Amino acid sequence: MMFPDLWSASQWLVPAGLLMLFVLVALGWSYARSRGSVAFRLAAASCKAIGFGLLALCLLEPVISVQRPKSGANLFMVLADASQSLQVKDRNQNQTREQQVRDKLVENVDWQDELARDFDLRRYQFDRQLTTSDFASFRAAGIGSSIINSLATVADRYRDRPKAGILLITDGNATDTASSKLDWAALPPVYPVVVGSDKSARDISISRLSVSQTNFETAPVSVAVELRCHGYNGRSVVVELLDESGKSIDRQVIASVEDDRPFALRFQLRPEQRGVSVYRVRAFEEGAASQFTDEQQSREATLVNNQRLAVIDRAKGPYRVLYVGGRPNWEFKFLRRSLLKDDEIELVGLLRIAKKEPKFTFRGHLDETTNPLFRGFGNQADEQAEQYDEPVLIRLGTKDSQELRYGFPKSAEELFQYQAIILDDIEAAYFTQEQKSLIQQFVSARGGGLLMLGGQESFAPGNYDRTPIGELLPVYLGNQKQPIDVGQLRLSITRDGWLQPWVRIESTEEAELERLQDMPGFQTINSVNSIKPGATVLANATDQRGRIHPALVVQRFGQGRSAAWLIGDMWRWQLTSEMENNDLMKAWRQTVRWLVADVPRRVDARVQHLGDANLTVNLLVTVNDESYKPLDNATVSVTVTKPDGKQVALSTQPLDTTAGRYGVNFVPRQPGAYRAVVKATSADGQELGQRQVGWVTEPANDEFRRLAPNRNWLNQIAQQTGGEVIELDDLDSFVSSLPSRNVPVMETRIFPWWHTWSLFLIAVSLLIAEWGMRRWKGLP
């Protein structure tokens, strides 16, 4: 306020008024008789009248009352961003953003002293965590920028204290926007101080990286990369995939990139080793790979966002698959031969070479009880050899002499050790009612996979209709009791089948269509009434009359999945192909991989990112008993290997929400790739299983995903809290204006307007001016 609003000596109002009246009358009489123009006389008289008026006004002792913050009664917080994103040097700037902020915090501190005179000043700096600081040792080297959590922390810490505002010095590139929720109305006015220029230096950044795994044998892992470039318009950029040793696995060159326009590419690879593998993707201008070993050669704003890590987990095997066949056939031969090359799959075969026969059919010797058809297979003892009224079975690929000794499993503990079951050319009557129900539980409750192949005694010919096994098949079986012969059948992939990598053999659509064209014709297919709701047809077979028959049908059933290969002579694919053509082998491997892909193990683990400021991960472990029921009394230990190779031992705790589940939180302190080995033991000390998982912690990628200041978001913060956005160069003038703003605790201050040197200076100057004007005109 510039003018007085109070009068301390109002009793002098009448004398002062009379004095001014006398002065005005005297001036009027004097200048009315003087020489000079009217304008000159008015100007001179006005100067003298105003000068005397100001002196007369002093008799009233005018004062000014203003509302100002009560000294020390209001809190004012200064929050400085200390994350490494401030290490960027903007275009046409000699200093980095960190140096600019440091100058304001350490070198030019007058604005802080001014704040401290009127407010209770609190200083903080933050990266992932908020800490108190005097800014003397300020360095922008922190990982992460938790802006929202920092604001929430100071607001909650002083929720019962009057707060004048928060000065937020940052570039606005927060790393906790996705995970944090904040009631902006609970905050005092926030005044963001924008650090950095919208015109950033040259930069190549990997903005997104994702890993997807399929059962496609040639390239089961796909690494999708999205990049952005700034300052490289028309140049070529190289994107390279490296393994853990730094060896280049693949590289792609993007010619003539466009600035600030994202572009995507994809790497496809097949990891050679089992377990958790870590790969690195890096992007750089063509010919500038040496900048990663010598940063002085880099012309970019930063190299932190040029690289990202990808964790690939191929450690779930080996899977055990039980094949049950009604007779030795070509299908099993090629299936077994194909899986011998797959380290992840263990195929266990249970083949019937003769059906059970009545005791009265024949006997080789008097009082002989064993079936002579089984002689020569190694089980010569009467107590081991198959008896009459029992089928003659052989076992292949068993882990010991006891596995499948009594034929198909009769208990969940025995059957549930497998991840999938393949039924081929075996009738439903081979299984007891309990075994049929057990197979259904294997799929629905245990989460296993079931594949039925189109043999002579499968599907409807095997009388699976109205059985527990028939219920879990993806097709409704018809009354056709024999596979139908419809001449030449041509296989084709449906639209849904094209979306499933494991159904395809070739990597491109053109090559796959050519392969289908060259495939041999099949001659046998099982007829079905219809497809069940929720099932998906992935392949069809077209006969010579143009009729379309479903050939491959799949569906989810409970926790597991089931599939039906309705063609009965898939072996023709191999017999009629060239010897070097291994398409059938590859198809079998991909099919079995899909069948066991999501089957749970007795001990399973996964990593859940909580998304908090500390980048905490939650290791969740599921433990089941032999019947795959939750096991609550297990002991689960976790050993985490950090990026520097050091190990940390953790103990999990049972989760209250779900039986058989255990969990432990881990806070990574280093950026990089982490591995964890989970080990579960039963109450009696028996090891139940192990599982390896991995994850990547790269907070710097969120920091440097965007280099330009996030002004829009900072403007939103200011608007929602009643503050305003400030430029770093305007910080001093803003602080000077703060005392005139409304704050919670104010006090009235009185200033004697009449007792100021400026007032008397003006009055004397006016009187001297009037005297000078009279002397100039020669007046007395």
Side-chain angles (χ1 to χ4, degrees):
M1 183 178 293
M2 298 178 58
F3 301 103
D5 56 354
L6 292 175
W7 312 90
S8 300
S10 56
Q11 67 272 14
W12 285 89
L13 180 60
V14 174
L18 293 175
L19 175 63
M20 280 304 300
L21 181 61
F22 172 77
V23 169
L24 291 174
V25 171
L27 285 173
W29 178 79
S30 174
Y31 276 99
R33 300 175 56 202
S34 65
R35 300 186 304 273
S37 64
V38 176
F40 166 77
R41 287 181 289 171
L42 286 176
S46 298
C47 288
K48 196 167 190 177
I50 295 173
F52 274 106
L54 291 176
L55 294 176
L57 195 63
C58 292
L59 296 175
L60 302 178
E61 299 184 5
V63 296
I64 299 174
S65 65
V66 295
Q67 293 290 320
R68 302 219 10 131
K70 186 176 181 180
S71 181
N74 300 281
L75 285 169
F76 198 94
M77 286 78 73
V78 177
L79 275 63
D81 191 344
S83 63
Q84 58 183 336
S85 64
L86 297 187
Q87 296 176 5
V88 173
K89 181 183 291 186
D90 296 304
R91 188 187 305 176
N92 301 325
Q93 289 288 335
N94 296 323
Q95 292 182 315
T96 64
R97 296 175 181 176
E98 175 192 12
Q99 293 170 331
Q100 296 175 40
V101 173
R102 182 173 174 79
D103 285 347
K104 282 294 183 182
L105 296 179
V106 181
E107 304 298 334
N108 304 318
V109 296
D110 292 342
W111 63 273
Q112 296 183 52
D113 296 336
E114 189 173 350
L115 274 176
R117 285 195 296 269
D118 292 313
F119 303 98
D120 183 0
L121 183 61
R122 305 296 173 93
R123 300 174 177 90
Y124 298 91
Q125 68 181 44
F126 65 91
D127 41 51
R128 285 198 298 179
Q129 300 289 337
L130 180 73
T131 58
T132 58
S133 175
D134 59 1
F135 300 142
S137 58
F138 176 81
R139 289 290 183 273
I143 299 175
S145 183
S146 299
I147 296 178
I148 294 181
N149 285 329
S150 299
L151 291 173
T153 299
V154 296
D156 181 69
R157 183 175 298 177
Y158 302 112
R159 59 181 177 273
D160 297 328
R161 295 280 303 277
K163 297 176 285 292
I166 300 175
L167 197 67
L168 180 65
I169 305 175
T170 179
D171 59 5
N173 293 322
T175 59
D176 60 347
T177 55
S179 60
S180 303
K181 294 182 179 179
L182 182 62
D183 182 12
W184 297 104
L187 290 178
V190 177
Y191 303 99
V193 180
V194 182
V195 181
S197 170
D198 294 329
K199 297 180 180 180
S200 59
R202 302 175 63 186
D203 185 61
I204 298 174
S205 66
I206 300 177
S207 57
R208 185 176 304 171
L209 185 145
S210 61
V211 176
S212 59
Q213 301 188 47
T214 69
N215 298 296
F216 188 62
E217 184 176 82
T218 304
V221 178
S222 178
V223 180
V225 184
E226 182 180 291
L227 290 92
R228 283 182 179 270
C229 299
H230 183 81
Y232 289 89
N233 193 47
R235 298 177 180 268
S236 295
V237 173
V238 177
V239 185
E240 195 171 23
L241 178 68
L242 302 93
D243 61 13
E244 287 188 77
S245 65
K247 178 183 176 182
S248 178
I249 303 299
D250 194 5
R251 72 196 304 265
Q252 299 183 33
V253 179
I254 311 300
S256 300
V257 299
E258 297 181 29
D259 281 351
D260 302 319
R261 181 176 180 179
F263 58 93
L265 53 90
R266 188 180 302 272
F267 291 104
Q268 292 184 322
L269 70 151
R270 179 179 176 83
E272 297 296 332
Q273 65 181 35
R274 293 170 56 182
V276 175
S277 303
V278 180
Y279 291 83
R280 182 183 301 274
V281 177
R282 66 181 187 180
F284 53 92
E285 183 183 6
E286 191 171 20
S290 59
Q291 65 184 345
F292 295 107
T293 54
D294 184 7
E295 292 190 7
Q296 298 299 324
Q297 299 183 22
S298 175
R299 296 187 297 168
E300 295 192 43
T302 178
L303 291 179
V304 176
N305 57 1
N306 289 60
Q307 304 183 76
R308 295 200 66 168
L309 297 176
V311 169
I312 298 173
D313 185 1
R314 307 285 289 178
K316 295 184 178 180
Y319 298 94
R320 310 195 75 228
V321 179
L322 176 59
Y323 174 93
V324 184
R327 58 177 59 84
N329 56 27
W330 290 102
E331 221 70 90
F332 176 71
K333 173 184 177 179
F334 293 131
L335 174 62
R336 186 165 183 259
R337 182 184 299 176
S338 66
L339 295 180
L340 286 175
K341 300 180 180 180
D342 195 333
D343 295 336
E344 290 289 302
I345 305 295
E346 294 180 359
L347 183 66
V348 181
L350 183 63
L351 271 71
R352 183 181 63 187
I353 63 171
K355 295 183 178 182
K356 62 182 180 179
E357 301 193 20
K359 291 183 180 181
F360 57 80
T361 302
F362 64 85
R363 291 188 179 179
H365 302 282
L366 185 64
D367 297 328
E368 181 181 46
T369 59
T370 60
N371 194 330
L373 289 174
F374 203 77
R375 289 176 183 163
F377 288 98
N379 293 355
Q380 300 299 323
D382 286 352
E383 67 272 11
Q384 294 180 352
E386 273 73 358
Q387 307 293 310
Y388 285 103
D389 285 336
E390 292 182 358
V392 180
L393 304 173
I394 59 173
R395 299 171 294 158
L396 299 171
T398 55
K399 59 184 178 181
D400 53 42
S401 61
Q402 298 301 313
E403 185 176 8
L404 302 178
R405 176 181 177 184
Y406 301 106
F408 190 83
K410 298 179 176 61
S411 65
E413 291 79 4
E414 188 178 1
L415 181 61
F416 286 8
Q417 66 176 306
Y418 303 100
Q419 278 73 47
I421 302 172
I422 300 176
L423 303 180
D424 181 23
D425 211 355
I426 188 79
E427 71 280 0
Y430 169 78
F431 304 99
T432 65
Q433 186 63 33
E434 290 76 13
Q435 289 174 328
K436 296 173 188 175
S437 299
L438 190 60
I439 292 175
Q440 188 182 83
Q441 294 174 21
F442 173 83
V443 178
S444 62
R446 189 253 188 271
L450 174 73
L451 170 64
M452 182 174 286
L453 303 181
Q456 296 181 16
E457 296 184 273
S458 301
F459 300 106
N463 295 315
Y464 282 96
D465 194 20
R466 301 183 184 279
T467 67
I469 298 177
E471 290 177 1
L472 61 86
L473 291 176
V475 293
Y476 289 112
L477 304 179
N479 297 322
Q480 181 71 35
K481 295 304 181 181
Q482 293 293 330
I484 57 176
D485 187 350
V486 290
Q488 293 289 318
L489 290 165
R490 307 300 304 181
L491 196 66
S492 63
I493 299 178
T494 65
R495 183 176 63 177
D496 292 319
W498 283 106
L499 300 177
Q500 300 293 328
W502 65 273
V503 178
R504 307 191 303 270
I505 302 299
E506 304 295 340
S507 57
T508 64
E509 182 178 358
E510 294 77 10
E512 185 70 13
L513 291 173
E514 183 178 351
R515 179 192 68 81
L516 292 172
Q517 184 66 29
D518 295 339
M519 280 187 68
F522 302 106
Q523 297 182 7
T524 305
I525 193 167
N526 286 267
S527 176
V528 296
N529 271 353
S530 59
I531 308 302
K532 290 184 178 179
T536 305
V537 179
L538 302 181
N540 286 322
T542 305
D543 61 23
Q544 293 177 335
R545 298 181 182 180
R547 294 176 299 182
I548 297 177
H549 306 268
L552 175 59
V553 190
V554 300
Q555 75 168 4
R556 297 292 304 184
F557 189 89
Q559 300 295 322
R561 57 179 52 164
S562 64
W565 251 120
L566 295 162
I567 293 178
D569 53 350
M570 288 293 295
W571 49 269
R572 294 183 188 274
W573 189 356
Q574 184 70 23
L575 289 182
T576 57
S577 301
E578 299 178 1
M579 294 301 295
E580 64 272 10
N581 190 327
N582 293 316
D583 285 352
L584 178 61
M585 305 294 186
K586 184 177 178 181
W588 278 133
R589 285 191 291 269
Q590 291 184 175
T591 301
V592 176
R593 281 289 189 97
W594 168 83
L595 196 63
V596 301
D598 298 324
V599 178
R601 309 296 295 266
R602 286 193 63 183
V603 178
D604 215 342
R606 64 184 180 91
V607 177
Q608 180 184 31
H609 294 271
L610 299 185
D612 59 359
N614 294 322
L615 305 177
T616 306
V617 297
N618 187 9
L619 296 172
L620 297 174
V621 184
T622 303
V623 182
N624 297 310
D625 60 15
E626 293 181 348
S627 300
Y628 276 78
K629 295 180 181 179
L631 188 62
D632 285 333
N633 59 348
T635 301
V636 180
S637 61
V638 178
T639 302
V640 177
T641 302
K642 299 188 293 185
D644 59 4
K646 296 181 180 179
Q647 294 185 337
V648 178
L650 305 174
S651 298
T652 64
Q653 297 295 327
L655 301 182
D656 297 333
T657 55
T658 308
R661 296 189 68 186
Y662 305 79
V664 62
N665 289 344
F666 177 77
V667 179
R669 300 298 183 187
Q670 304 170 6
Y674 289 78
R675 290 177 170 88
V677 176
V678 178
K679 181 179 179 181
T681 56
S682 61
D684 58 3
Q686 180 183 0
E687 183 175 330
L688 301 175
Q690 293 188 12
R691 179 77 170 90
Q692 186 182 29
V693 293
W695 71 93
V696 169
T697 299
E698 293 182 302
N701 288 309
D702 292 332
E703 277 280 293
F704 292 97
R705 180 175 288 116
R706 173 192 176 104
L707 295 186
N710 195 346
R711 292 180 180 272
N712 291 334
W713 188 61
L714 294 177
N715 274 318
Q716 293 178 14
I717 294 178
Q719 291 175 4
Q720 293 176 357
T721 60
E724 65 177 89
V725 175
I726 306 159
E727 298 299 325
L728 188 62
D729 294 337
D730 299 333
L731 184 57
D732 293 317
S733 59
F734 165 75
V735 171
S736 299
S737 69
L738 268 177
S740 61
R741 300 171 184 255
N742 289 327
V743 296
V745 180
M746 304 282 287
E747 64 178 359
T748 302
R749 296 187 183 181
I750 305 297
F751 297 96
W753 189 73
W754 65 274
H755 202 275
T756 58
W757 64 269
S758 57
L759 175 64
F760 287 98
L761 178 62
I762 294 172
V764 172
S765 298
L766 289 172
L767 294 175
I768 293 175
E770 187 270 344
W771 177 80
M773 293 172 71
R774 285 191 294 108
R775 293 285 84 194
W776 176 44
K777 293 295 184 179
L779 298 177

